[in-house]
Each structure stands twice: as C-alpha cells, then as structure tokens.
C-alpha cells in the first residue's frame, strides 16, 4: 500500500519543520466529513508567526499545486486531505486479494527478538494471574513472527528456591504417586498447603525443608529425581492450557538452568568492582540511580532471583544474539527489571538498552475478590476457560441450536472471549474480568468479531464464487463502503504499531472498529448478489481472521 501520510509529509514544506515531524502530525480524522487525513496547523503558528487558519490556507494551496494525488482543503486551522476514492478502493482491494486467505508473514528481516513470557512457577497452579503474561507474550510472539522477525519464546520457569525443599519434605511425609499422577498440580499444591499448616505447629518441618533443599543444591540424586518429577507433572498440566490458548515456546530454560552459570556472573561483578558488602550480603549499590541495591548473594551464600536474571540475560545474548529481549512480567516487578538492566549496563554491556520490561496490570474476576495463592484459594485459569466455554455452549444452544461443530465452536468462542478480555484493554491497566461482558455478542468482544467473521463467511457462501478479478470499484465509493476500505488499508500499520508499543490491544481495538464498520455497511447495503460488495466482504473476512490469529483467537466459520 502507498503510505499516503508519507506522500503528504513529502509535499508539505515548512521551514524549520522536518518531514518526519509533519509525518507524525498527520492523523486520521474521526469524522469522515473531514476527509481521509488531516494535518493540524496549530503547532506551526509559533515558527511561522501566522495564525493556524492562515497557515492551513497557504499550505493547502501549495499542496494542491504539487499534484500528489490527494486533494487538500483548509478548514479552521487544519489541512484536510482527500484521496481519489475509486483509485484508493482499487489499490486496497487488489492488495487484499493478492494476500489471499492466509496473510503470509513478511520476509525475514534478519532480526531476533527474545520474549520471556508466562514463566510459571513449578508446582503452583496456573491461575488467572498468569493469563496476561501468557496471552500478551503469546500474541507478541505471533505479531513479531508476522513482521519477519526470528522470535524465541522463553518460559523462564520458576524452578528454584527453598520452597521446593519443603515440597519434597511434604511429599516424603504424605505424598502419593498415584494421586499426583491423577490430579497433577492440584495434588502438589495440597501438599504444599498442608506443609505450611503443619509447620505452624511443628517447627521441625521447616528444618526438614531446608535439609531437602540443600540436597537439591548438592545435586543429590533422590532429591533431583523427585523434583524433576514435580516439574514434569506441572508442565504436563500447564501444557493443556497452552494448547487451548495456542501458546508455544522455544525454550523452557528456567531459573535452575542457570545454576552453573552464576559463579561467572558473580566473579565478573567482583572483577568489575561492582560488588559491595552489606550486612554480610553482596549487592550492587544503585544509590546513584535512586534505586535500592540489587541483591546478588545472601549472607548464607545463596543466589537470588536477580542473580539468575543477570545470568539469563547474558546467556540469551550469547545464544540468540537478540536485537531485543522482552520480559512480559507484571508491573510489580518494575523495580526488579530496572535494577537488572542497570546492573547489565554497569557491567559494560551496551545491549542492556535492548532489554525491555513489558509490564501489565492485575486481573481479577468479577465477584471473586482478591486472588491469592497462599492458602490455596485461587481461581484456576482452567476453570475460567471451562466456565466461559460452558456459558458459550448455552448461548449457542439458544441462538443457533442446529449449528454443526457446536462443541468446537463453543470452545473457540469461549476461550476467545477470555483471551480478548485480557488483550483488549491497554496492558498496563488493571482489569476486572466479567463473563457476561466478555460473552456479550453485541458488545466490544471477541464473540462480536467472530460473529462478524461468520457473517462474512455466510455471505460468501451465498454468493457465486467469481467476485474476484476486476470489479467495479466505483461501487465502493459511498461513505459506508469507503469507511470499511480505509480500515482494511490500515492493517499493516496497525500490526506495526502493536509491535512497536508491545500492545496487542491495538489490534483488538482495530478488529472491533473493522467489525462495527462492516456491520454498518452490511445494514445499509444489499450485499448478497453484488460483486463489488462481495469482494469487500471477502477482504473483511480475511482481515478479521488474520487479525484474530495475531491475538490468539480462532475464527469459526459459523456461529
Ligand atoms: N516466575 C516469575 C513469577 O512468577 C516470573 C519470571 C519472569 N521472568 C524473568 N526472567 N524474571 O513472578
């Protein structure tokens, strides 16, 4: 697609204002009556010492002389630009047709992005708190792949810490292999909860927990055997959820993977004169940067979360030679990542600037209260997905009882509703998930987009198949059709901006806008039987489907 913002920026000449500055000011007016693009002139008033109204008038006059293929008009301090509609319709439809049903990813750009996401903790349930990191990371994974990056998805497992000594101790006392085999993480979680209850009564249990953790640290065969079994059980359970969400990873190297790489990091910090002692612990002092010290070694010589992240960052750079390394982790860890990145920088690694923390807010469930892992009163993600699917099945039974593939559709719609709920608001905002809102087929929801997609499908089923090829583009120049065309033309720009801001919600928002715009078009025109409008429908269907794919949501053919 031609980048018309660029055309505009190139043909508007203002002394003292750069082309890129003008480019960034060009916007899409929300009111179609204002044209296709708009340039506000208020910012130039100071440099040019003229009123915005006068500037807009002069700019549009000279722009129109440039024959850039758009028409400029000055309106109250803005220059509004209009494209030649028929030409733009043709360009957009042809581009969309050339992409076919499945948009191919861009050619490789030779760049690598590492994405650390989901990063669950062993023997802990996959609860709703993990939803955001998992789906934001999973979506970014698809988005960057689509843009031609080599992407490395990393599940930085929480598989190290004294709690695993406690778990082994609980297992030795009360564990039952059959039960663990059957109930997976739930059985492990119960052991853990029981350990804490009993340890409150009997202090010796904690002693025993430490004993088993020491054994893990020392590489004791039995301890490691039991622990790796816990790991398998956890991953087996969690994998079911990943499958349902369409999430993949290229690496499961978690915290314990770095055990034999910590000494190097500590030596290096020592050599570079960055380590100082503080109450027997070793830390990197960050006073100068207004941050508390970064803890590297506890007084008993145990390493910390940050120590492992330093080792992991170095390992990722060495192994993948990334251009960017993202960490999709809740905002509660803002300080942790600020410290780790600062220490990397102090170690002299200029690639520290390529490490980016992608924070997000908290999720809670409407009417569920605060969610905590401690006492075992957690909301399991599996239950949330199951409930959403069940509720969807009921809605489908009411709306479309004869639907084929009911179960599969209910699954795609129910899971999609939850994922969309998580991805549709800007990631940093805390959110409250509500089934009713997420499953409202007329709201700003996944089911609404999926329903629109299925509607397109059904229109196409009713049409003769030869809507492709040359069509009468003039027939799509009315306001409703043209509004859809404009959105279609923006797909790539939207995906780029989602990648740029690490913000899948930009795609989610776009798909809502496209659906609403298409439905408006559909209500005001007779589509079935009309070749041009059917062609437009085909483009919308494909764009919705490919957009949904990028935010991990399926697009059933019928609903
Ligand atoms: N397992 C950690 C948690 O649940 C998240 C790990 C994030 N990744 C990292 N490299 N620190 O809080």
């Amino acid at each position: 697609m031609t980048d018309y913002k660029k055309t505009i920026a190139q043909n508007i000449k203002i002394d003292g204002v750069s082309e890129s500055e003008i480019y960034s000011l060009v916007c899409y007016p929300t009111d179609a009556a204002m044209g296709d693009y708009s340039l506000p002139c208020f910012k130039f008033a100071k440099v040019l010492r003229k009123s915005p109204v006068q500037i807009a008038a002069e700019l549009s006059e000279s722009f129109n002389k440039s024959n850039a293929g758009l028409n400029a008009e000055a309106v109250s301090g803005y220059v509004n630009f209009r494209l030649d509609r028929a030409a733009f319709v043709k360009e957009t439809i042809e581009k969309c047709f050339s992409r076919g049903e499945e948009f191919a990813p861009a050619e490789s750009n030779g760049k690598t992005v590492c994405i650390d996401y989901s990063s669950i903790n062993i023997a802990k349930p996959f609860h709703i708190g993990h939803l955001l990191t998992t789906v934001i990371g999973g979506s970014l994974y698809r988005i960057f792949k689509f843009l031609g990056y080599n992407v490395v998805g990393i599940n930085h497992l929480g598989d190290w810490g004294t709690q695993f000594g406690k778990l082994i101790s609980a297992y030795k006392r009360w564990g039952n292999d059959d039960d663990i085999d059957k109930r997976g993480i739930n059985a492990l979680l119960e052991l853990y909860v029981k350990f804490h209850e009993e340890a409150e009564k009997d202090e010796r249990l904690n002693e025993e927990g430490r004993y088993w953790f020491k054994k893990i640290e020392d590489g004791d065969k039995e301890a490691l055997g039991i622990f790796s079994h816990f790991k398998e059980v956890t991953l087996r359970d969690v994998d079911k959820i990943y499958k349902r969400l369409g999430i993949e990873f290229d690496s499961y190297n978690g915290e314990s993977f770095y055990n034999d790489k910590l000494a190097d990091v500590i030596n290096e910090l020592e050599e570079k004169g960055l380590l100082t002692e503080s109450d027997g612990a070793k830390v990197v002092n960050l006073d100068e940067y207004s941050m508390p010290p970064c803890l590297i070694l506890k007084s008993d010589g145990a390493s910390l979360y940050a120590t492992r992240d330093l080792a992991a960052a170095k390992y990722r750079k060495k192994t993948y030679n990334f251009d960017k390394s993202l960490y999709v982790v809740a905002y509660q860890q803002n300080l942790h990542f600020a410290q780790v990145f600062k220490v990397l920088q102090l170690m002299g690694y200029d690639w520290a600037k390529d490490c980016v923390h992608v924070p997000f807010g908290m999720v809670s469930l409407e009417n569920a209260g605060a969610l905590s892992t401690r006492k075992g009163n957690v909301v399991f993600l599996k239950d949330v997905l199951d409930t959403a699917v069940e509720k969807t099945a009921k809605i489908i039974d009411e709306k479309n009882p004869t639907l084929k593939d009911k179960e599969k559709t209910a699954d795609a719609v129910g899971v999609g509703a939850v994922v969309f709920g998580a991805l549709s608001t800007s990631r940093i905002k805390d959110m409250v998930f509500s089934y009713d809102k997420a499953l409202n087929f007329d709201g700003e929801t996944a089911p609404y987009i999926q329903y629109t997609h299925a509607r397109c499908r059904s229109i196409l089923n009713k049409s003769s198949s030869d809507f492709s090829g040359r069509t009468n583009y003039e027939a799509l120049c009315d306001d409703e059709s043209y509004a859809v065309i404009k959105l279609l033309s923006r797909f790539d720009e939207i995906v780029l901006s989602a990648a740029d801001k690490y913000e899948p919600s930009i795609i989610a928002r776009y798909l809502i806008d496209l659906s609403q715009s298409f439905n408006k078009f559909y209500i005001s025109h007779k589509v079935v039987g009309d070749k041009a409008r059917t062609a437009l429908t085909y483009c919308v269907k494909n764009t919705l489907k490919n957009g949904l794919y990028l935010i991990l949501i399926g697009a059933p053919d019928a609903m």
Side-chain angles (χ1 to χ4, degrees):
M1 294 291 307
T2 316
D3 183 354
Y4 289 101
K5 282 188 179 179
K6 196 160 177 195
T7 313
I8 292 169
Q10 283 167 342
N11 287 286
I12 289 277
K13 301 263 186 296
I14 306 172
D15 281 342
V17 185
S18 70
E19 188 183 313
S20 66
E21 224 169 308
I22 296 176
Y23 184 92
S24 68
L25 285 171
V26 178
C27 58
Y28 300 111
T30 34
D31 179 1
M34 312 269 288
D36 301 312
Y37 304 89
S38 188
L39 176 69
C41 298
F42 307 94
K43 273 208 170 157
F44 313 136
K46 217 168 166 190
V47 223
L48 298 177
R49 296 164 176 265
K50 285 181 200 165
S51 77
V53 173
Q54 197 182 349
I55 297 169
E58 290 174 13
L59 288 179
S60 40
E61 199 186 316
S62 66
F63 183 88
N64 284 333
K65 283 185 196 140
S66 67
N67 275 330
L70 293 105
N71 191 283
E73 184 192 11
V75 180
S76 10
Y78 291 84
V79 185
N80 294 336
F81 301 87
R82 281 191 171 69
L83 289 160
D84 171 6
R85 283 195 178 187
F88 188 64
V89 168
K90 179 173 187 296
E91 187 182 351
T92 307
I93 297 269
E94 279 176 359
K95 160 92 199 256
C96 221
F97 262 93
S98 73
R99 282 190 138 164
E101 309 239 339
E102 216 168 286
F103 297 1
E107 241 171 76
S108 164
N109 61 14
K111 290 190 178 155
T112 296
V113 192
C114 290
I115 312 181
D116 176 324
Y117 60 108
S118 200
S119 298
I120 49 143
N121 301 318
I122 296 304
K124 291 265 178 72
F126 201 124
H127 61 87
I128 191 177
H130 297 114
L131 177 61
L132 283 179
T133 168
T134 306
V135 297
I136 293 170
S139 171
L140 290 174
Y141 188 89
R142 290 191 182 180
I143 291 170
F144 277 101
K145 276 219 155 150
F146 181 74
L147 293 173
Y149 286 81
N150 170 38
V151 190
V152 186
I154 302 170
N155 198 332
H156 186 78
L157 298 176
D159 58 2
W160 193 253
T162 48
Q163 72 271 28
F164 297 113
K166 296 179 184 172
L167 193 59
I168 291 183
S169 149
Y171 169 78
K172 292 291 269 181
R173 282 172 174 258
W174 314 294
N176 171 331
D177 282 332
D178 285 345
D179 185 41
I180 293 177
D181 215 41
K182 234 186 272 145
R183 295 192 307 124
I185 298 180
N186 287 351
L188 295 178
L189 183 67
E190 267 171 36
L191 282 175
Y192 192 64
V193 171
K194 180 160 172 134
F195 182 93
H196 277 272
E197 280 164 8
E198 297 293 323
E200 266 170 39
K201 291 177 241 156
D202 183 356
E203 171 49 28
R204 277 176 315 178
L205 258 76
N206 285 320
E207 193 68 37
E208 201 175 288
R210 279 192 287 275
Y211 165 83
W212 278 108
F213 181 58
K214 179 88 179 47
K215 287 214 156 206
I216 305 181
E217 282 191 300
D218 294 344
D220 175 78
K221 234 174 132 196
E222 183 188 8
L224 285 184
I226 298 172
F227 184 52
S228 71
H229 184 220
F230 292 165
K231 220 162 139 170
E232 266 163 43
V233 168
T234 306
L235 286 176
R236 193 186 65 203
D237 265 18
V238 167
D239 212 43
K240 289 183 201 144
I241 304 236
Y242 288 147
K243 286 231 164 65
R244 290 177 87 175
L245 296 172
I247 300 287
E248 323 167 48
F249 297 97
D250 303 290
S251 160
Y252 285 86
N253 287 339
E255 295 187 32
S256 72
F257 177 78
Y258 299 99
N259 280 345
D260 63 359
K261 300 170 180 62
L262 299 175
D264 270 354
V265 172
I266 295 160
N267 288 340
E268 187 183 339
L269 288 168
E270 194 94 67
E271 270 162 29
K272 293 182 172 164
L274 292 167
L275 278 190
T276 47
E277 291 247 345
S278 160
D279 294 331
K282 301 222 169 178
V283 305
V284 178
N285 188 300
L286 298 172
D287 278 354
E288 216 180 299
Y289 311 98
S290 317
M291 283 188 263
C294 183
L295 259 86
I296 303 294
L297 279 179
K298 284 201 249 179
S299 52
D300 64 3
S303 65
L304 287 115
Y305 184 50
T307 328
R308 287 163 197 278
D309 259 326
L310 291 169
K314 284 190 62 182
Y315 177 83
R316 288 173 195 176
K317 184 64 190 175
K318 193 173 110 214
T319 311
Y320 307 113
N321 194 22
F322 58 73
D323 294 276
K324 261 198 196 313
S325 185
L326 311 181
Y327 296 79
V328 185
V329 186
Y331 65 60
Q332 280 87 344
Q333 296 194 24
N334 278 358
L335 175 62
H336 166 74
F337 285 107
Q339 290 176 312
V340 167
F341 299 163
K342 180 51 86 182
V343 173
L344 288 170
Q345 189 198 338
L346 294 175
M347 288 167 95
Y349 294 119
D350 67 341
W351 50 262
K353 66 177 182 345
D354 304 321
C355 295
V356 183
H357 177 207
V358 179
F360 54 83
M362 292 210 291
V363 191
S364 50
L365 193 63
E366 198 176 54
N367 308 325
L371 306 166
S372 111
T373 352
R374 245 169 299 125
K375 295 274 174 189
N377 57 338
V378 289
V379 179
F380 294 97
L381 186 53
K382 176 182 182 306
D383 295 338
V384 175
L385 296 178
D386 288 347
T387 310
V389 171
E390 248 167 63
K391 285 179 186 271
T392 308
K394 273 203 197 112
I395 299 176
I396 294 180
D397 269 334
E398 280 161 27
K399 284 194 182 241
N400 193 355
T402 58
L403 180 71
K404 272 192 278 166
D405 273 342
K406 243 194 256 178
E407 242 166 70
K408 247 174 108 188
T409 308
D411 212 63
V413 175
V415 173
V418 175
V419 172
F420 192 86
L423 290 182
S424 57
T425 41
S426 128
R427 64 181 151 73
I428 203 68
K429 283 195 194 146
D430 291 340
M431 65 158 254
V432 180
F433 180 81
S434 142
Y435 290 108
D436 292 342
K437 280 195 196 117
L439 287 171
N440 179 353
F441 280 42
D442 302 314
E444 300 194 340
T445 61
Y448 174 71
I449 303 168
Q450 289 168 318
Y451 189 76
T452 308
H453 170 267
R455 168 176 272 174
C456 293
R457 199 50 286 170
S458 118
I459 294 169
L460 294 169
N461 288 345
K462 287 181 203 144
S463 306
S464 61
S465 54
D466 74 328
F467 50 80
S468 62
R470 299 218 139 259
T471 171
N472 175 12
Y473 301 112
E474 296 284 344
L476 299 174
C477 290
D478 64 278
D479 287 349
E480 292 82 21
S481 314
Y482 190 63
V484 178
I485 290 283
K486 280 206 279 191
L487 282 168
L488 283 178
S489 76
R490 255 174 244 168
F491 182 78
D492 290 302
E493 186 185 328
I494 291 288
V495 179
L496 270 176
S497 142
D500 203 43
K501 302 193 171 80
Y502 315 119
E503 189 68 271
S505 68
I506 294 176
I507 297 179
R509 179 70 246 167
Y510 167 79
L511 296 173
I512 292 289
D513 290 343
L514 181 58
S515 301
Q516 287 174 341
S517 178
F518 175 80
N519 286 317
K520 214 162 152 192
F521 153 83
Y522 177 76
I523 290 166
S524 36
H525 296 285
K526 185 165 171 359
V527 179
V528 179
D530 182 291
K531 194 170 159 182
R533 292 180 189 143
T534 309
L536 182 64
T537 304
Y538 174 76
C539 296
V540 170
K541 183 206 72 159
N542 293 346
T543 305
L544 288 178
K545 183 169 182 155
N546 285 280
L548 283 172
Y549 172 81
L550 293 179
I551 54 170
L552 304 167
I553 296 176
D557 281 340
M559 267 171 80

